[in-house]
Amino acid sequence: MTGFRLGYVPGVTPAKWVRIWAERLPRVPLELIQVTAADAPDLVRRGEADAALLRLPIDRTGLHAIPLYVEQTVVVVPKDHVITAADEITVDDLADELMLHPQDDVLDWDRPPGRLIEERPARTGDAVELVAMGTGLLVVPQSLARLHHRKDLTYRPLTGVPESQVALSWPEADETGELVEHFIGIVRGRTTNSTRGPATPKAAKKSVAKRPVAKKQPDRSRQKPRRRR
């Protein structure tokens, strides 16, 4: 059986699911492919990955997608910023703040909060560098704030804004491949004995020989001894 190729976008950590895959399908290698949020859907459409962990919304043309979990949205700020005095921030708290809006922003905004800086950095990582320089603040999913962690920066939960939804996506087809079905079962928490999951691949099965049934021997303990003539 061939291997399984799984794409994943920055901030998403597939380690738990990869570990379960290795336990259940030890003979089927799983290859991880890191991909940008913008490129993830096309990676699956082109067949360069069998499935991908990405963030919604996406153009679902030719793709299936099942939501897995929702990420907390946070605002990244310098550690000495006045906002750090609060445990949670609202959109109104950012009304007078200069805000960075990177071109690879994964949040589905009607309009980002605060006063937007006209020049948009290309990537989230570039925007984080600008926050450290005091240029502005940045709103991102919590996983991206952790990914780009710096000692001189921190973040606070932000309410009243879109949240990021992580999903598993795979190509539309008349029949979903067996390995994709296995991974869907893993991310949905199905057990190996679940009737909804596919059968164990033949490569991972072990044949069990039937033990021969021993013939029952007669009980001689109750038989009367023969008399000698």
Side-chain angles (χ1 to χ4, degrees), residues 210-218:
K210 292 184 178 180
R211 295 181 180 178
V213 178
K215 293 182 179 180
K216 188 175 181 180
Q217 299 296 324

Side-chain angles (χ1 to χ4, degrees), residues 159-175:
T159 62
V161 294
E163 293 178 312
S164 168
Q165 193 169 42
V166 174
L168 176 69
S169 181
W170 68 96
E172 283 186 349
D174 294 336
E175 185 177 352

Side-chain angles (χ1 to χ4, degrees), residues 121-210:
R123 296 181 298 273
T124 298
D126 300 328
V128 171
E129 295 289 335
L130 292 173
V131 175
M133 293 168 59
T135 305
L137 308 184
L138 175 66
V139 177
V140 291
Q142 186 173 359
S143 64
L144 286 179
R146 289 174 174 171
L147 178 66
H148 297 287
H149 170 73
R150 290 174 53 113
K151 292 182 178 179
D152 52 351
L153 300 179
T154 187
Y155 60 83
R156 291 291 185 270
L158 180 62
T159 62
V161 294
E163 293 178 312
S164 168
Q165 193 169 42
V166 174
L168 176 69
S169 181
W170 68 96
E172 283 186 349
D174 294 336
E175 185 177 352
T176 301
E178 184 179 359
L179 293 182
V180 175
E181 286 284 5
H182 271 286
F183 197 78
I184 292 171
I186 288 172
V187 298
R188 283 185 162 175
R190 297 177 192 162
T191 65
T192 53
N193 297 324
S194 171
T195 56
R196 296 180 62 191
T200 304
K202 294 179 181 179
K205 286 185 176 179
K206 293 182 180 180
S207 60
V208 179
K210 292 184 178 180

Side-chain angles (χ1 to χ4, degrees), residues 67-84:
L68 300 178
Y69 60 90
V70 174
E71 295 182 289
Q72 171 72 58
T73 301
V74 301
V75 55
V76 180
V77 301
K79 279 193 171 180
D80 58 356
H81 196 283
V82 64
I83 279 179
T84 60

